[in-house]
Amino acid sequence: MPKRVSNRHILVIHGPNLNFLGQREPEQYGHQTLDDINESLHTKAKELGFQLSDFQSNHEGELIETIQKAVGRVQGLIINPAAYTHTSVAIRDAVLILAVPTIEVHLSNIHKREPFRQRSFIADIATGQITGLGAAGYLFAIEALANIIS
Ligand code: DQA
């Protein structure tokens, strides 16, 4: 959760089970851990002159509260809602409240997977979606957001 107000601040939200990255279905999600991904995002944010906050939870309400607390404090959002992508109207509504440029990221290509994963409650309200490019997708997302915000 963002601690202080700056005009170049990006929030990264990781949904349920992403705390098991590295161990969890590596053929689908790769070998990098969530810590690896966050570390590379913090390094890239620094390079681009942005402050970055990251948050992971397995609980829908905690994800929503973190997004709500970021209102007025962040200028961009990177979100991988994980399984909540396909189910959560509440996370969609929180993203609408936040109302900042938003990139939806998925490690796997959700459009090549089971039909239930092909529906996203975030896609049509996001600025863009990066799906299927693995951990690199997060870095493309922060570069895209930096361009949009600057
Ligand atoms: C995911 C895809 C979702 O369908 C799945 O539930 C996840 C991860 C991805 O990054 O590819 O947990 O969001």
Side-chain angles (χ1 to χ4, degrees), residues 17 25 28 30 39-40 48 72 87 92 94 105 109 126 128 142 145:
N17 300 307
E25 301 174 76
Q28 201 67 258
E39 203 180 305
S40 62
L48 295 167
T87 63
R92 173 194 174 90
V105 173
N109 183 347
I142 193 172
L145 271 187

Side-chain angles (χ1 to χ4, degrees), residues 34-49:
L34 192 61
D35 282 349
D36 295 335
I37 290 172
N38 283 331
E39 203 180 305
S40 62
L41 276 171
H42 280 278
T43 303
K44 178 60 82 183
K46 223 176 192 174
E47 268 172 42
L48 295 167

Side-chain angles (χ1 to χ4, degrees), residues 16 18 24 29 80 82-83 85-86 105-108 110 113 117:
L18 295 176
R24 172 191 180 207
Y29 301 119
N80 182 348
T85 306
H86 321 298
V105 173
H106 300 283
L107 294 142
S108 63
I110 59 172
R113 298 186 63 191
R117 289 187 206 277

